[in-house]
Amino acid sequence: MSYVNLKEVLRNTKNQKFAVGAFNFNGYEDVQGIVNAASHLNAPIIVAASMSVVRYFGLKQIVGLVRGIAEAVDIPVCLHLDHSTSVDLCKEAIVAGFGSVMIDASAKSYEDNIHDTVEVVQFARKYGASVEAEIGHVGGVEDNIVVSKEDALLTNPSDAQKFYEATKVDALAVAIGTAHGFYKKEPKIDFERLQTIRNLVPCHLVLHGGTGVPDKDFKRCVDCGMSKINVGTELKKVYTDTIRNQCAVVSRQEIDPKKLTKQVKTNIEDAVMKKIITFGSDDKI
Ligand code: 13P
């Protein structure tokens, strides 16, 4: 139906208490699997490209791919640039046709984070694109960037409020105890902190590091007003495990690459459908 910005795809999340999944992709098959899952369940969906995926595909190529797939279905699809540490890349992505970008200046000083975010917000407004920023610092491994436990910093609620007032960003990623990548033990989410932030900050809130978070914790985050939930590592594993399995079961005489890759679409679709149901975004278009 539509290729939309982040504001639009998250439009009903707060009043209807659900979250939209933002799923990172790494190839063609997983984009298809993610969008097909949402289409089967009548769910709004966010397809997220990391900086390494941008380097691998190219910005215009990504826009062509995702917009084309979005046009074939009857649900709102948002293409989002994930964790861009570069203001220039955010601007290039917006010009290329991304509906949403994340400027991640969370490793910089609070003032520089505000400065970079304001610059991207002002640029994005001219194009009707949405902007996400991060305050506090989510730990773990994202796109080969490692944020150690010592550097991970939970979001201070009053900083988040001031940050929103200064930037008027559309969505804010908050650090409340999750981390990017696989967990060594179950994450301990600070729901009280989330609730306080929710009461102070009017924009959409975003949970990063969705891989390995138990369903009950996702549901509690949604109850506390989380609007967007990011999942990346889990789908990477589904993708690579599927290819490895297919290599083992498909005859070595087979030369049709689709025989190896087709199953990726199905397995990604299954994994994403489960998350959509957990996040409560099924039948919400
Ligand atoms: P995971 O890789 O831990 O699922 O986190 C994804 C993410 O937050 C992308 O921004």
Side-chain angles (χ1 to χ4, degrees), residues 113-177:
N113 191 357
I114 289 182
H115 175 274
D116 286 6
T117 304
V118 167
E119 189 173 340
V120 177
V121 169
Q122 283 174 352
F123 188 86
R125 295 287 178 261
K126 291 186 240 160
Y127 289 81
S130 307
V131 181
E132 175 182 335
E134 178 167 322
I135 177 90
H137 208 37
V138 178
V141 184
E142 166 64 25
D143 229 10
N144 301 323
I145 299 163
V146 181
V147 178
S148 71
K149 245 185 156 168
E150 297 74 53
D151 289 337
L153 210 65
L154 296 191
T155 303
N156 174 305
S158 95
D159 281 355
Q161 184 185 26
K162 286 186 217 128
F163 185 89
Y164 171 74
E165 292 303 331
T167 60
K168 292 288 188 285
V169 77
D170 301 296
L172 192 58
V174 289
I176 53 166

Short mmCIF file of all heavy atoms in Angstrom, two decimals, residues 113-177:
data_model
loop_
_atom_site.label_atom_id
_atom_site.label_comp_id
_atom_site.label_asym_id
_atom_site.label_seq_id
_atom_site.Cartn_x
_atom_site.Cartn_y
_atom_site.Cartn_z
N ASN A 113 25.67 15.65 20.74
CA ASN A 113 24.56 14.79 20.35
C ASN A 113 23.37 15.67 19.94
O ASN A 113 22.75 15.46 18.88
CB ASN A 113 24.21 13.85 21.52
CG ASN A 113 23.24 12.74 21.13
OD1 ASN A 113 22.78 12.68 19.99
ND2 ASN A 113 22.95 11.85 22.06
N ILE A 114 23.08 16.68 20.75
CA ILE A 114 21.98 17.61 20.42
C ILE A 114 22.29 18.34 19.10
O ILE A 114 21.44 18.40 18.20
CB ILE A 114 21.77 18.64 21.56
CG1 ILE A 114 21.14 17.94 22.76
CG2 ILE A 114 20.88 19.81 21.08
CD1 ILE A 114 20.83 18.83 23.93
N HIS A 115 23.50 18.80 18.95
CA HIS A 115 23.88 19.56 17.76
C HIS A 115 23.66 18.73 16.49
O HIS A 115 23.01 19.17 15.53
CB HIS A 115 25.35 19.99 17.88
CG HIS A 115 25.87 20.66 16.66
ND1 HIS A 115 26.40 19.96 15.58
CD2 HIS A 115 25.91 21.96 16.30
CE1 HIS A 115 26.74 20.81 14.64
NE2 HIS A 115 26.45 22.03 15.04
N ASP A 116 24.20 17.51 16.46
CA ASP A 116 24.07 16.64 15.27
C ASP A 116 22.60 16.30 15.01
O ASP A 116 22.13 16.28 13.87
CB ASP A 116 24.85 15.33 15.46
CG ASP A 116 26.36 15.54 15.32
OD1 ASP A 116 26.79 16.70 15.19
OD2 ASP A 116 27.10 14.53 15.36
N THR A 117 21.87 16.03 16.09
CA THR A 117 20.46 15.62 15.94
C THR A 117 19.63 16.77 15.36
O THR A 117 18.83 16.56 14.43
CB THR A 117 19.89 15.14 17.29
OG1 THR A 117 20.72 14.08 17.79
CG2 THR A 117 18.47 14.63 17.13
N VAL A 118 19.85 17.99 15.88
CA VAL A 118 19.10 19.15 15.38
C VAL A 118 19.39 19.34 13.88
O VAL A 118 18.47 19.59 13.09
CB VAL A 118 19.45 20.42 16.19
CG1 VAL A 118 18.93 21.68 15.49
CG2 VAL A 118 18.88 20.33 17.59
N GLU A 119 20.65 19.19 13.50
CA GLU A 119 21.01 19.38 12.09
C GLU A 119 20.25 18.38 11.20
O GLU A 119 19.71 18.74 10.15
CB GLU A 119 22.53 19.22 11.92
CG GLU A 119 22.98 19.62 10.53
CD GLU A 119 24.50 19.64 10.36
OE1 GLU A 119 25.23 19.72 11.37
OE2 GLU A 119 24.93 19.56 9.19
N VAL A 120 20.18 17.13 11.65
CA VAL A 120 19.48 16.11 10.84
C VAL A 120 17.97 16.35 10.85
O VAL A 120 17.31 16.23 9.81
CB VAL A 120 19.83 14.68 11.34
CG1 VAL A 120 19.04 13.64 10.55
CG2 VAL A 120 21.33 14.41 11.20
N VAL A 121 17.42 16.73 12.01
CA VAL A 121 15.97 16.98 12.09
C VAL A 121 15.59 18.12 11.13
O VAL A 121 14.61 18.00 10.37
CB VAL A 121 15.54 17.31 13.55
CG1 VAL A 121 14.10 17.85 13.58
CG2 VAL A 121 15.65 16.09 14.44
N GLN A 122 16.36 19.20 11.14
CA GLN A 122 16.02 20.35 10.28
C GLN A 122 16.07 19.95 8.80
O GLN A 122 15.22 20.34 8.01
CB GLN A 122 16.98 21.51 10.55
CG GLN A 122 16.60 22.22 11.84
CD GLN A 122 17.60 23.29 12.25
OE1 GLN A 122 18.66 23.43 11.65
NE2 GLN A 122 17.27 24.03 13.29
N PHE A 123 17.07 19.14 8.45
CA PHE A 123 17.19 18.69 7.06
C PHE A 123 16.02 17.75 6.70
O PHE A 123 15.39 17.89 5.65
CB PHE A 123 18.53 17.95 6.90
CG PHE A 123 18.85 17.60 5.48
CD1 PHE A 123 19.49 18.52 4.65
CD2 PHE A 123 18.52 16.36 4.95
CE1 PHE A 123 19.79 18.21 3.33
CE2 PHE A 123 18.81 16.04 3.63
CZ PHE A 123 19.46 16.96 2.82
N ALA A 124 15.73 16.83 7.60
CA ALA A 124 14.69 15.81 7.33
C ALA A 124 13.32 16.44 7.13
O ALA A 124 12.53 15.97 6.29
CB ALA A 124 14.64 14.82 8.49
N ARG A 125 13.03 17.50 7.88
CA ARG A 125 11.71 18.15 7.78
C ARG A 125 11.41 18.60 6.35
O ARG A 125 10.28 18.55 5.89
CB ARG A 125 11.61 19.35 8.72
CG ARG A 125 11.67 19.01 10.20
CD ARG A 125 10.39 18.35 10.71
NE ARG A 125 10.52 17.99 12.13
CZ ARG A 125 10.82 16.78 12.59
NH1 ARG A 125 11.02 15.77 11.76
NH2 ARG A 125 10.89 16.54 13.88
N LYS A 126 12.47 19.05 5.63
CA LYS A 126 12.26 19.56 4.26
C LYS A 126 11.83 18.44 3.32
O LYS A 126 11.26 18.69 2.26
CB LYS A 126 13.57 20.16 3.74
CG LYS A 126 13.97 21.44 4.43
CD LYS A 126 15.20 22.05 3.75
CE LYS A 126 16.34 22.15 4.73
NZ LYS A 126 17.65 22.27 4.24
N TYR A 127 12.15 17.20 3.69
CA TYR A 127 11.86 16.06 2.81
C TYR A 127 10.71 15.19 3.34
O TYR A 127 10.39 14.17 2.74
CB TYR A 127 13.11 15.19 2.66
CG TYR A 127 14.19 15.83 1.83
CD1 TYR A 127 15.05 16.77 2.39
CD2 TYR A 127 14.36 15.51 0.49
CE1 TYR A 127 16.06 17.37 1.65
CE2 TYR A 127 15.36 16.11 -0.27
CZ TYR A 127 16.20 17.02 0.32
OH TYR A 127 17.19 17.62 -0.44
N GLY A 128 10.15 15.56 4.47
CA GLY A 128 9.08 14.73 5.06
C GLY A 128 9.60 13.43 5.65
O GLY A 128 8.84 12.47 5.84
N ALA A 129 10.90 13.38 5.95
CA ALA A 129 11.46 12.17 6.56
C ALA A 129 11.44 12.30 8.08
O ALA A 129 11.34 13.40 8.61
CB ALA A 129 12.88 11.95 6.07
N SER A 130 11.53 11.17 8.78
CA SER A 130 11.51 11.18 10.24
C SER A 130 12.92 10.92 10.77
O SER A 130 13.77 10.37 10.06
CB SER A 130 10.60 10.07 10.78
OG SER A 130 9.33 10.14 10.21
N VAL A 131 13.13 11.29 12.04
CA VAL A 131 14.46 11.12 12.64
C VAL A 131 14.35 10.45 14.01
O VAL A 131 13.51 10.81 14.83
CB VAL A 131 15.17 12.48 12.79
CG1 VAL A 131 16.55 12.30 13.40
CG2 VAL A 131 15.28 13.18 11.44
N GLU A 132 15.25 9.47 14.21
CA GLU A 132 15.42 8.86 15.54
C GLU A 132 16.81 9.24 16.04
O GLU A 132 17.75 9.36 15.25
CB GLU A 132 15.33 7.33 15.39
CG GLU A 132 15.62 6.56 16.67
CD GLU A 132 15.56 5.03 16.46
OE1 GLU A 132 14.87 4.55 15.54
OE2 GLU A 132 16.24 4.32 17.23
N ALA A 133 16.93 9.45 17.34
CA ALA A 133 18.25 9.70 17.94
C ALA A 133 18.36 8.80 19.18
O ALA A 133 17.43 8.08 19.52
CB ALA A 133 18.38 11.17 18.32
N GLU A 134 19.54 8.82 19.80
CA GLU A 134 19.74 7.98 20.99
C GLU A 134 20.31 8.82 22.13
O GLU A 134 21.21 9.61 21.93
CB GLU A 134 20.71 6.83 20.66
CG GLU A 134 21.01 5.92 21.85
CD GLU A 134 21.71 4.62 21.45
OE1 GLU A 134 21.37 4.05 20.39
OE2 GLU A 134 22.60 4.18 22.19
N ILE A 135 19.77 8.59 23.31
CA ILE A 135 20.28 9.29 24.48
C ILE A 135 20.56 8.24 25.56
O ILE A 135 19.75 7.36 25.78
CB ILE A 135 19.31 10.41 24.94
CG1 ILE A 135 19.79 11.11 26.21
CG2 ILE A 135 17.91 9.94 25.12
CD1 ILE A 135 20.66 12.27 25.93
N GLY A 136 21.76 8.34 26.17
CA GLY A 136 22.27 7.19 26.92
C GLY A 136 23.00 6.36 25.90
O GLY A 136 23.14 6.77 24.73
N HIS A 137 23.47 5.18 26.25
CA HIS A 137 24.24 4.40 25.28
C HIS A 137 23.98 2.92 25.45
O HIS A 137 24.27 2.35 26.51
CB HIS A 137 25.72 4.73 25.47
CG HIS A 137 26.53 4.58 24.24
ND1 HIS A 137 26.06 4.91 22.98
CD2 HIS A 137 27.79 4.13 24.04
CE1 HIS A 137 27.00 4.67 22.09
NE2 HIS A 137 28.05 4.20 22.69
N VAL A 138 23.39 2.29 24.40
CA VAL A 138 23.09 0.86 24.46
C VAL A 138 24.40 0.09 24.24
O VAL A 138 25.14 0.36 23.30
CB VAL A 138 22.05 0.48 23.38
CG1 VAL A 138 21.79 -1.03 23.40
CG2 VAL A 138 20.75 1.25 23.58
N GLY A 139 24.69 -0.89 25.10
CA GLY A 139 25.93 -1.65 24.98
C GLY A 139 25.83 -2.79 23.97
O GLY A 139 24.83 -2.95 23.28
N GLY A 140 26.93 -3.56 23.85
CA GLY A 140 26.95 -4.75 23.00
C GLY A 140 27.60 -4.51 21.66
O GLY A 140 28.35 -3.56 21.47
N VAL A 141 27.32 -5.43 20.70
CA VAL A 141 27.97 -5.37 19.39
C VAL A 141 26.92 -5.06 18.33
O VAL A 141 25.95 -5.80 18.18
CB VAL A 141 28.64 -6.71 19.03
CG1 VAL A 141 29.39 -6.59 17.71
CG2 VAL A 141 29.57 -7.16 20.14
N GLU A 142 27.10 -3.96 17.60
CA GLU A 142 26.18 -3.60 16.52
C GLU A 142 27.04 -3.25 15.32
O GLU A 142 27.85 -2.34 15.39
CB GLU A 142 25.30 -2.41 16.96
CG GLU A 142 24.54 -1.71 15.84
CD GLU A 142 23.52 -2.59 15.16
OE1 GLU A 142 23.03 -3.55 15.78
OE2 GLU A 142 23.24 -2.33 13.98
N ASP A 143 26.86 -4.01 14.21
CA ASP A 143 27.60 -3.71 13.00
C ASP A 143 29.12 -3.69 13.26
O ASP A 143 29.83 -2.79 12.82
CB ASP A 143 27.16 -2.33 12.48
CG ASP A 143 26.84 -2.38 10.99
OD1 ASP A 143 26.78 -3.49 10.45
OD2 ASP A 143 26.66 -1.32 10.39
N ASN A 144 29.59 -4.67 14.03
CA ASN A 144 31.01 -4.81 14.39
C ASN A 144 31.54 -3.70 15.31
O ASN A 144 32.73 -3.63 15.57
CB ASN A 144 31.92 -4.88 13.15
CG ASN A 144 31.54 -6.06 12.27
OD1 ASN A 144 31.17 -7.10 12.80
ND2 ASN A 144 31.60 -5.88 10.97
N ILE A 145 30.65 -2.80 15.77
CA ILE A 145 31.09 -1.78 16.74
C ILE A 145 30.78 -2.30 18.13
O ILE A 145 29.64 -2.66 18.44
CB ILE A 145 30.38 -0.43 16.50
CG1 ILE A 145 30.73 0.08 15.10
CG2 ILE A 145 30.76 0.61 17.56
CD1 ILE A 145 29.79 1.14 14.60
N VAL A 146 31.82 -2.39 18.95
CA VAL A 146 31.63 -2.97 20.28
C VAL A 146 31.53 -1.84 21.31
O VAL A 146 32.40 -0.98 21.38
CB VAL A 146 32.83 -3.88 20.65
CG1 VAL A 146 32.62 -4.50 22.03
CG2 VAL A 146 33.02 -4.96 19.59
N VAL A 147 30.43 -1.85 22.08
CA VAL A 147 30.31 -0.89 23.19
C VAL A 147 30.42 -1.69 24.48
O VAL A 147 29.57 -2.52 24.78
CB VAL A 147 28.95 -0.14 23.14
CG1 VAL A 147 28.82 0.80 24.34
CG2 VAL A 147 28.80 0.62 21.84
N SER A 148 31.53 -1.49 25.21
CA SER A 148 31.78 -2.30 26.39
C SER A 148 30.77 -1.97 27.48
O SER A 148 30.11 -0.93 27.45
CB SER A 148 33.19 -2.04 26.91
OG SER A 148 33.23 -0.75 27.47
N LYS A 149 30.69 -2.91 28.45
CA LYS A 149 29.75 -2.73 29.58
C LYS A 149 30.00 -1.41 30.30
O LYS A 149 29.07 -0.71 30.71
CB LYS A 149 29.94 -3.88 30.57
CG LYS A 149 28.72 -4.76 30.67
CD LYS A 149 28.93 -5.77 31.72
CE LYS A 149 27.57 -6.22 32.21
NZ LYS A 149 27.63 -7.37 33.02
N GLU A 150 31.28 -1.05 30.40
CA GLU A 150 31.63 0.19 31.12
C GLU A 150 31.13 1.42 30.37
O GLU A 150 30.78 2.43 30.96
CB GLU A 150 33.16 0.32 31.30
CG GLU A 150 33.81 -0.78 32.13
CD GLU A 150 33.91 -2.09 31.40
OE1 GLU A 150 34.44 -2.11 30.28
OE2 GLU A 150 33.45 -3.12 31.93
N ASP A 151 31.11 1.33 29.02
CA ASP A 151 30.70 2.49 28.23
C ASP A 151 29.18 2.56 28.04
O ASP A 151 28.65 3.60 27.64
CB ASP A 151 31.36 2.47 26.84
CG ASP A 151 32.85 2.77 26.95
OD1 ASP A 151 33.23 3.39 27.95
OD2 ASP A 151 33.60 2.36 26.06
N ALA A 152 28.50 1.44 28.28
CA ALA A 152 27.04 1.45 28.14
C ALA A 152 26.48 2.28 29.31
O ALA A 152 26.93 2.15 30.44
CB ALA A 152 26.51 0.03 28.20
N LEU A 153 25.53 3.14 28.99
CA LEU A 153 25.08 4.11 29.98
C LEU A 153 23.56 4.17 29.93
O LEU A 153 23.00 4.47 28.89
CB LEU A 153 25.66 5.47 29.55
CG LEU A 153 25.97 6.47 30.61
CD1 LEU A 153 27.10 5.96 31.51
CD2 LEU A 153 26.42 7.76 29.93
N LEU A 154 22.91 3.88 31.06
CA LEU A 154 21.45 3.94 31.04
C LEU A 154 20.99 5.39 30.88
O LEU A 154 21.64 6.32 31.35
CB LEU A 154 20.88 3.34 32.32
CG LEU A 154 21.15 1.84 32.53
CD1 LEU A 154 20.31 1.30 33.68
CD2 LEU A 154 20.89 1.01 31.27
N THR A 155 19.86 5.57 30.19
CA THR A 155 19.35 6.91 29.90
C THR A 155 18.88 7.61 31.17
O THR A 155 18.08 7.04 31.93
CB THR A 155 18.19 6.82 28.89
OG1 THR A 155 18.67 6.16 27.73
CG2 THR A 155 17.65 8.19 28.53
N ASN A 156 19.34 8.84 31.35
CA ASN A 156 18.87 9.65 32.46
C ASN A 156 17.56 10.33 32.03
O ASN A 156 17.53 11.06 31.03
CB ASN A 156 19.96 10.69 32.77
CG ASN A 156 19.52 11.69 33.80
OD1 ASN A 156 18.49 12.34 33.65
ND2 ASN A 156 20.30 11.81 34.84
N PRO A 157 16.44 10.08 32.75
CA PRO A 157 15.13 10.59 32.29
C PRO A 157 15.09 12.10 32.07
O PRO A 157 14.51 12.56 31.09
CB PRO A 157 14.17 10.16 33.41
CG PRO A 157 14.81 8.96 34.02
CD PRO A 157 16.29 9.20 33.92
N SER A 158 15.71 12.87 32.95
CA SER A 158 15.58 14.32 32.76
C SER A 158 16.46 14.78 31.59
O SER A 158 16.10 15.71 30.86
CB SER A 158 15.84 15.07 34.06
OG SER A 158 17.16 15.49 34.14
N ASP A 159 17.61 14.10 31.34
CA ASP A 159 18.39 14.39 30.13
C ASP A 159 17.55 14.10 28.88
O ASP A 159 17.60 14.84 27.89
CB ASP A 159 19.65 13.49 30.06
CG ASP A 159 20.76 14.00 30.96
OD1 ASP A 159 20.60 15.09 31.55
OD2 ASP A 159 21.79 13.30 31.07
N ALA A 160 16.82 12.98 28.93
CA ALA A 160 15.99 12.59 27.77
C ALA A 160 14.94 13.66 27.50
O ALA A 160 14.69 14.05 26.35
CB ALA A 160 15.33 11.24 28.03
N GLN A 161 14.33 14.17 28.58
CA GLN A 161 13.31 15.22 28.43
C GLN A 161 13.91 16.47 27.80
O GLN A 161 13.38 17.03 26.84
CB GLN A 161 12.71 15.54 29.80
CG GLN A 161 11.59 16.55 29.72
CD GLN A 161 11.10 16.94 31.12
OE1 GLN A 161 11.85 16.86 32.10
NE2 GLN A 161 9.85 17.33 31.20
N LYS A 162 15.08 16.88 28.32
CA LYS A 162 15.73 18.10 27.79
C LYS A 162 16.18 17.88 26.36
O LYS A 162 16.08 18.78 25.52
CB LYS A 162 16.93 18.48 28.68
CG LYS A 162 16.52 19.06 30.02
CD LYS A 162 17.76 19.55 30.78
CE LYS A 162 17.62 19.28 32.26
NZ LYS A 162 18.73 18.57 32.88
N PHE A 163 16.67 16.67 26.09
CA PHE A 163 17.12 16.34 24.73
C PHE A 163 15.96 16.45 23.75
O PHE A 163 16.08 17.02 22.67
CB PHE A 163 17.70 14.92 24.72
CG PHE A 163 18.30 14.51 23.42
CD1 PHE A 163 19.65 14.76 23.14
CD2 PHE A 163 17.55 13.86 22.44
CE1 PHE A 163 20.22 14.39 21.93
CE2 PHE A 163 18.11 13.49 21.23
CZ PHE A 163 19.44 13.75 20.97
N TYR A 164 14.80 15.92 24.16
CA TYR A 164 13.63 16.01 23.28
C TYR A 164 13.24 17.47 23.05
O TYR A 164 13.00 17.89 21.91
CB TYR A 164 12.43 15.22 23.83
CG TYR A 164 11.20 15.52 23.02
CD1 TYR A 164 11.05 14.98 21.74
CD2 TYR A 164 10.25 16.43 23.47
CE1 TYR A 164 9.98 15.34 20.95
CE2 TYR A 164 9.18 16.79 22.68
CZ TYR A 164 9.05 16.23 21.42
OH TYR A 164 7.99 16.60 20.62
N GLU A 165 13.20 18.24 24.12
CA GLU A 165 12.81 19.66 24.00
C GLU A 165 13.74 20.39 23.05
O GLU A 165 13.31 21.23 22.26
CB GLU A 165 12.83 20.36 25.38
CG GLU A 165 11.76 19.88 26.35
CD GLU A 165 10.34 20.03 25.79
OE1 GLU A 165 10.12 20.93 24.98
OE2 GLU A 165 9.48 19.21 26.16
N ALA A 166 15.03 20.06 23.10
CA ALA A 166 16.03 20.77 22.28
C ALA A 166 16.02 20.31 20.82
O ALA A 166 16.40 21.07 19.93
CB ALA A 166 17.42 20.56 22.87
N THR A 167 15.60 19.07 20.57
CA THR A 167 15.74 18.52 19.20
C THR A 167 14.41 18.30 18.49
O THR A 167 14.38 18.27 17.26
CB THR A 167 16.45 17.15 19.25
OG1 THR A 167 15.66 16.25 20.05
CG2 THR A 167 17.86 17.26 19.80
N LYS A 168 13.34 18.07 19.24
CA LYS A 168 12.02 17.73 18.70
C LYS A 168 12.10 16.54 17.74
O LYS A 168 11.47 16.49 16.69
CB LYS A 168 11.38 18.94 17.99
CG LYS A 168 11.01 20.06 18.95
CD LYS A 168 9.81 19.70 19.81
CE LYS A 168 9.25 20.82 20.64
NZ LYS A 168 9.98 21.20 21.83
N VAL A 169 12.92 15.58 18.15
CA VAL A 169 13.11 14.38 17.35
C VAL A 169 11.82 13.55 17.32
O VAL A 169 10.99 13.67 18.22
CB VAL A 169 14.32 13.62 17.99
CG1 VAL A 169 13.94 12.90 19.26
CG2 VAL A 169 15.06 12.77 17.02
N ASP A 170 11.62 12.73 16.28
CA ASP A 170 10.38 11.95 16.18
C ASP A 170 10.39 10.71 17.08
O ASP A 170 9.35 10.26 17.54
CB ASP A 170 10.17 11.49 14.72
CG ASP A 170 10.08 12.67 13.79
OD1 ASP A 170 9.13 13.46 13.92
OD2 ASP A 170 10.99 12.83 12.94
N ALA A 171 11.59 10.14 17.26
CA ALA A 171 11.69 8.92 18.06
C ALA A 171 13.01 8.93 18.82
O ALA A 171 14.02 9.42 18.31
CB ALA A 171 11.60 7.68 17.17
N LEU A 172 12.99 8.37 20.00
CA LEU A 172 14.18 8.40 20.84
C LEU A 172 14.51 7.00 21.34
O LEU A 172 13.68 6.34 21.97
CB LEU A 172 13.92 9.35 22.02
CG LEU A 172 15.12 9.76 22.85
CD1 LEU A 172 16.20 10.43 21.99
CD2 LEU A 172 14.67 10.71 23.95
N ALA A 173 15.74 6.55 21.03
CA ALA A 173 16.22 5.26 21.54
C ALA A 173 16.73 5.48 22.96
O ALA A 173 17.52 6.40 23.20
CB ALA A 173 17.34 4.74 20.66
N VAL A 174 16.26 4.65 23.88
CA VAL A 174 16.66 4.81 25.27
C VAL A 174 17.39 3.55 25.74
O VAL A 174 17.06 2.44 25.33
CB VAL A 174 15.43 5.10 26.17
CG1 VAL A 174 14.91 6.51 25.91
CG2 VAL A 174 14.32 4.08 25.99
N ALA A 175 18.38 3.76 26.58
CA ALA A 175 19.15 2.63 27.12
C ALA A 175 18.54 2.28 28.48
O ALA A 175 18.62 3.06 29.42
CB ALA A 175 20.61 3.03 27.26
N ILE A 176 17.91 1.10 28.54
CA ILE A 176 17.23 0.71 29.80
C ILE A 176 17.66 -0.69 30.24
O ILE A 176 16.98 -1.34 31.01
CB ILE A 176 15.69 0.79 29.65
CG1 ILE A 176 15.20 -0.02 28.44
CG2 ILE A 176 15.21 2.24 29.58
CD1 ILE A 176 13.71 -0.27 28.43
N GLY A 177 18.79 -1.17 29.69
CA GLY A 177 19.30 -2.46 30.16
C GLY A 177 19.45 -3.53 29.09
O GLY A 177 19.99 -4.60 29.36
#
